[in-house]
Amino acid sequence: MKLFSKTILATALSVTMFAASPLSASEFGDTYKAYNEAVAAENSADIETYALKAYQLGKQKFASDSLDIAMLALNAADALILNVPKNTYVEENAAKAKKLKQQAFELYKVALVNYTKSYGDEAVELIDPLMGLADSSSKKDAREYLDDALDIAEESDDSMIIADTQMAYFEMLANSRYYTRKVRNYAIDAYTTYEKLLPENAMKRVLAAFTVGSIEYSEKHYDKAETALLYVIKQFEALDFDHPYELAAHAKLVEIYEIQGESDKSTQHCIAIGSMTPWNAEQEQTPLFRVPPKYPMSSLKRRQEGWSQVSFTVNEMGFVVDPVIMDSKGGSAFNKSTLKALKKWRYAPKFIDGKAVAANSTVQLDYTIQ
């Protein structure tokens, strides 16, 4: 399940659009059918294979500036982004991520040019490729594309499109040095819209509530965080399994109640975590909430860069414990900032045979000046 979706408008080609064409029995038709089957099966490897092949075959069949090419390019770019490695601290993964993002960026540009030609400069159809360009760029460059997307959304006067774009803007910059009060407020505003327009059990609204609860939690607005997180738990309790965000909400509430000296309430949520049915009996620990470390002011003034590699344990309740600096560059200030940030990270714990267990993890936090 995609927890966060940057797409706002439906972009998948319909198989029926080729029904009147002799291509329906062609290699292109077979490839596009295989792509749709891979999407339905959530097979990311096959999605990438067939999306790229459909795009290449499509270039032989459709005009280069057509909407058909735009949608095929968008599908292929999304497929590449889907397979970008999450752990880019491994050199091999970093190289692969860079290559996939570069490929995706060029495809998103094709989609944007063709959509602009067909729909105009301010059409909501441009939001998807703009979000894609942001996602395949550096965080610094992403802001320009995100601003363009949000400008278009606001011009549309469609409250849901505006909210979706605001939330996507937040998600893309939340764990970066470009996270600002303005970015933070986009998530709050989006959730306010979802509360007005969506039913209580709408997944988009529930996930946004978790995001807002996490923001309020990190800012120590514990009453507001409690309200949002209890709502998340209530909605996820209706599922046949325990969602990782439900577990994370319980974990945050444990800390909130402990800070406030309400151990009885905290214990209730500890028990809830221990009795949860995992969404995967052999699930690896999964990051659910991270805050970026603060750049040490002393290092920033000297324009000093560096990094910290740290190992730690994710305990049965998803808390980070026993962090240890393994290696670093740039001085102790970076290590201190890294350890402070890690204390606020929350994970869904690792499960073995359906039971939560403590497990080790490692991460590298980089400090660079743009």
Side-chain angles (χ1 to χ4, degrees):
M1 173 184 174
K2 273 190 176 182
L3 298 181
F4 303 117
S5 175
K6 65 178 176 54
T7 55
I8 296 169
L9 304 169
T11 57
L13 284 170
S14 169
V15 176
T16 57
M17 70 182 289
F18 306 107
S21 168
L23 293 174
S24 59
S26 69
E27 184 180 2
F28 174 82
D30 292 340
T31 300
Y32 197 76
K33 179 181 178 182
Y35 163 75
N36 281 322
E37 291 173 347
V39 170
E42 299 183 359
N43 186 323
S44 59
D46 284 352
I47 290 173
E48 178 182 337
T49 297
Y50 292 116
L52 289 171
K53 185 176 180 180
Y55 173 69
Q56 293 300 328
L57 292 172
K59 288 198 296 183
Q60 303 172 31
K61 304 297 181 181
F62 304 112
S64 61
D65 60 352
S66 67
L67 282 176
D68 297 319
I69 290 298
M71 288 186 281
L72 289 169
L74 198 59
N75 288 343
D78 285 344
L80 290 166
I81 291 297
L82 181 66
N83 285 313
V84 169
K86 298 295 185 286
N87 180 8
T88 56
Y89 301 113
V90 178
E91 185 176 350
E92 181 180 350
N93 286 353
K96 181 179 179 181
K98 182 178 180 180
K99 180 180 179 181
L100 291 177
K101 285 190 173 185
Q102 288 175 338
Q103 288 179 277
F105 184 85
E106 295 304 319
L107 289 166
Y108 284 127
K109 283 202 300 186
V110 171
L112 180 63
V113 169
N114 288 15
Y115 275 4
T116 302
K117 178 179 181 295
S118 295
Y119 296 116
D121 294 333
E122 299 181 357
V124 293
E125 286 82 1
L126 273 59
I127 293 176
D128 261 353
L130 283 169
M131 285 294 177
L133 287 167
D135 203 11
S136 53
S137 302
S138 68
K139 298 298 184 183
K140 180 181 179 181
D141 294 335
R143 293 176 297 171
E144 179 181 349
Y145 299 116
L146 292 170
D147 285 337
D148 288 345
L150 188 54
D151 286 344
I152 291 172
E154 290 173 343
E155 285 293 325
S156 75
D157 287 330
D158 186 312
S159 297
M160 189 59 71
I161 289 179
I162 294 171
D164 286 347
T165 309
Q166 289 173 325
M167 187 58 75
Y169 198 125
F170 167 83
E171 290 162 1
M172 212 165 290
L173 296 183
N175 294 320
S176 76
R177 60 182 297 224
Y178 301 106
Y179 179 75
T180 63
R181 189 74 178 179
K182 181 179 74 172
V183 174
R184 175 257 193 206
N185 288 342
Y186 286 152
I188 304 296
D189 292 344
Y191 179 56
T192 299
T193 299
Y194 294 154
E195 283 186 301
K196 295 177 181 177
L197 300 181
L198 296 175
E200 280 195 347
N201 62 349
M203 184 60 71
K204 185 186 294 186
R205 176 175 168 178
V206 177
L207 296 180
F210 178 81
T211 296
V212 169
S214 298
I215 293 171
E216 302 291 5
Y217 162 83
S218 67
E219 295 176 357
K220 300 183 179 180
H221 302 153
Y222 295 135
D223 289 345
K224 292 181 179 180
E226 179 186 22
T227 299
L229 296 171
L230 288 174
Y231 161 72
V232 170
I233 291 170
K234 178 183 177 182
Q235 298 306 317
F236 278 129
E237 282 177 346
L239 299 178
D240 294 332
F241 62 93
D242 293 309
H243 193 280
Y245 276 25
E246 181 184 358
L247 187 151
H250 280 299
K252 286 180 173 63
L253 287 168
V254 167
E255 184 165 341
I256 288 173
Y257 292 138
E258 287 293 344
I259 290 172
Q260 295 178 332
E262 299 181 273
S263 295
D264 289 344
K265 288 185 178 180
S266 174
T267 300
Q268 293 175 19
H269 291 278
C270 288
I271 293 172
I273 291 172
S275 61
M276 294 180 92
T277 302
W279 57 99
N280 182 335
E282 304 298 329
Q283 178 71 41
E284 293 295 323
Q285 65 263 40
T286 306
L288 297 175
F289 179 67
R290 291 175 171 178
V291 294
K294 291 184 178 180
Y295 210 108
M297 188 57 64
S298 58
S299 302
L300 189 59
K301 288 180 179 179
R302 297 195 305 271
R303 300 192 65 77
Q304 183 179 27
E305 299 184 335
W307 47 265
S308 298
Q309 290 180 349
V310 58
S311 66
F312 54 90
T313 298
V314 176
N315 69 14
E316 296 87 341
M317 293 187 295
F319 291 99
V320 173
V321 297
D322 302 327
V324 176
I325 298 295
M326 298 187 298
D327 197 4
S328 65
K329 178 182 178 181
S332 61
F334 291 136
N335 294 338
K336 183 178 179 180
S337 183
T338 294
L339 294 174
K340 186 174 181 180
L342 282 174
K343 291 179 180 179
K344 299 178 181 179
W345 290 18
R346 298 294 177 261
Y347 285 73
K350 178 181 177 67
F351 283 89
I352 296 179
D353 296 329
K355 294 183 179 181
V357 299
N360 295 328
S361 187
T362 59
V363 72
Q364 176 174 310
L365 299 186
D366 297 312
Y367 296 81
T368 58
I369 299 173
Q370 297 291 340

